[in-house]
Amino acid sequence: MRSNRKKYAQLQGIIPALITPYEDDGRISDKRTRELVRHLISQGVAGFYLSGSTGEGFLQTVEERQSFLEIVMDEAKKEVPVIAHVGAMDTATAVALTKHACGAGATAVSAVTPFYYKHGSEQIKRHYIDIAEAADIPLIAYHFPDMTGSKQSADFYRELSSVDGIIGLKFTSMNTYEMQQIMDVCGEDFLVFNGPDESCLAGLAMGAFGAIGSTYNIMPAKFVELHRLFRQGRIDEARAVQYEVNKVINELLKYDFIAFEREILRLQGFDTGLPRKPIQQLSDAQRADIRETASRFPFLNIR
């Protein structure tokens, strides 16, 4: 049996959770999406993760999520892998998105645990199994307790790791001890991806296979450099890069992270439109403050 680490080696890097570019009227923009995808590929990213929290997937229709995947797949042209987030509150929608992603040629799908309703572990496990059985495409589960209110144990993921087609986990939590415990019980063939950008290096040091993150949209080259330095064993230099990007993240935390990142992208020359309400809509004063903040970090390359 071929090792997942070898089979999905392309995913072993920095993967932006892609911002969804909109036109001025709020429609998903084909042109702006292609421009952003080409830019990020040129910066050395290892792939894309679509329609998750950063991509505003839960604020979009099923048809919009499908259309966005098709645009990205066409522009990426198999240069880099594409992971489609198919998470939904109901299993039927997640299954439908999974079947579409498989047909569109995505590398894998991913799904956050269903939220709002208080599901038990068995229901969540069945939800994931239904997704995994829906189509011939690998599934990466998604652990994000701060957003979903669902905190599953290491044993839960050990059970999931034995299901055919479930190859890994996007782990978005600052608890690297918990990450290590999951990796320990699931084995090295279960691919765990670091989620929190501010602890990217810590996650890699604990054994994360790769990293999927939001600020990789606005600082791709910095995180690609961090990953390269880590792989080369140059930990002091990688730590210095993590400290640099964390200064930007500290400023980001004053705002809704999606609104902040969209404004930085606009200042970099990539207009991705406004986030969908009720996400924060920036005032002119806030935009001016973000510009001043960004000007203190030359590596953000604002215009």
Side-chain angles (χ1 to χ4, degrees):
M1 180 177 178
R2 189 179 180 187
S3 164
N4 282 339
R5 287 183 169 267
K6 292 181 180 178
K7 187 175 182 179
Y8 301 105
Q10 271 189 295
L11 295 171
Q12 195 171 10
I14 296 299
I15 300 173
L18 192 63
I19 289 274
T20 302
Y22 299 125
E23 295 287 357
D24 294 344
D25 63 5
R27 292 178 298 110
I28 291 176
S29 174
D30 184 294
K31 179 176 182 292
R32 293 174 177 180
T33 296
R34 292 177 186 277
E35 289 173 350
L36 183 58
V37 166
R38 293 312 316 167
H39 164 66
L40 293 172
I41 289 176
S42 76
Q43 299 300 298
V45 302
F48 296 105
Y49 186 95
L50 310 188
S51 301
S53 307
T54 304
E56 303 178 31
F58 291 116
L59 302 182
Q60 298 165 356
T61 66
V62 167
E63 291 75 21
E64 284 179 315
R65 291 170 72 170
Q66 293 173 336
S67 173
F68 186 57
L69 172 60
E70 291 168 8
I71 295 168
V72 175
M73 289 298 303
D74 184 64
E75 188 61 35
K77 301 185 187 303
K78 299 185 179 180
E79 291 180 54
V80 296
V82 176
I83 303 168
H85 177 255
V86 299
M89 289 179 65
D90 67 295
T91 303
T93 297
V95 164
L97 286 166
T98 297
K99 291 178 178 179
H100 173 266
C102 182
T107 303
V109 295
S110 180
V112 73
T113 56
F115 52 91
Y116 185 78
Y117 296 102
K118 305 300 181 184
H119 305 296
S121 293
E122 282 304 311
Q123 291 100 316
I124 294 172
K125 181 181 176 183
R126 186 66 248 177
H127 175 77
Y128 276 130
I129 291 173
D130 285 346
I131 295 171
E133 292 178 345
D136 187 19
I137 187 171
L139 168 64
I140 298 168
Y142 189 176
H143 179 83
F144 200 175
D146 284 353
M147 293 293 279
T148 64
S150 174
K151 185 178 180 182
Q152 302 305 312
S153 67
D155 283 341
F156 171 85
Y157 291 113
R158 177 183 54 78
E159 293 175 7
L160 271 193
S161 70
S162 67
V163 176
D164 287 344
I166 301 181
I167 64 167
L169 176 69
K170 181 177 187 284
F171 183 87
T172 303
S173 167
M174 300 297 287
N175 191 337
T176 52
Y177 167 73
E178 185 179 17
M179 173 196 279
Q180 180 269 321
Q181 293 296 295
I182 291 171
M183 291 189 290
D184 186 51
V185 300
C186 292
E188 65 175 16
D189 216 35
F190 190 68
L191 311 179
V192 176
F193 296 84
N194 184 76
D197 305 1
E198 57 268 49
S199 60
C200 179
L201 179 59
L204 293 172
M206 289 301 286
F209 184 71
I212 300 169
S214 178
T215 61
Y216 306 163
N217 285 277
I218 62 173
M219 300 183 282
K222 275 293 179 185
F223 280 101
V224 169
E225 178 188 13
L226 184 155
H227 185 261
R228 175 180 59 81
L229 291 168
F230 170 77
R231 294 290 296 272
Q232 293 174 348
R234 297 158 65 182
I235 303 303
D236 288 345
E237 293 169 80
R239 185 186 303 117
V241 176
Q242 183 74 74
Y243 285 6
E244 279 188 289
V245 296
N246 281 2
K247 290 178 181 178
V248 175
I249 293 172
N250 191 50
E251 296 295 332
L252 172 153
L253 295 175
K254 299 174 183 177
Y255 300 91
D256 182 284
F257 75 98
I258 296 174
F260 181 93
E261 290 181 34
R262 285 182 181 276
E263 181 61 14
I264 293 294
L265 283 170
R266 189 182 71 82
L267 294 171
Q268 292 174 339
F270 302 98
D271 188 349
T272 60
L274 298 175
R276 290 191 171 171
K277 293 179 179 179
I279 294 173
Q280 182 182 26
Q281 309 291 299
L282 298 173
S283 67
D284 289 344
Q286 289 169 326
R287 290 179 184 276
D289 181 66
I290 291 173
R291 173 178 280 279
E292 190 281 325
T293 295
S295 69
R296 304 200 305 267
F297 301 97
F299 58 84
L300 287 178
N301 297 314
I302 69 167
R303 297 182 179 180

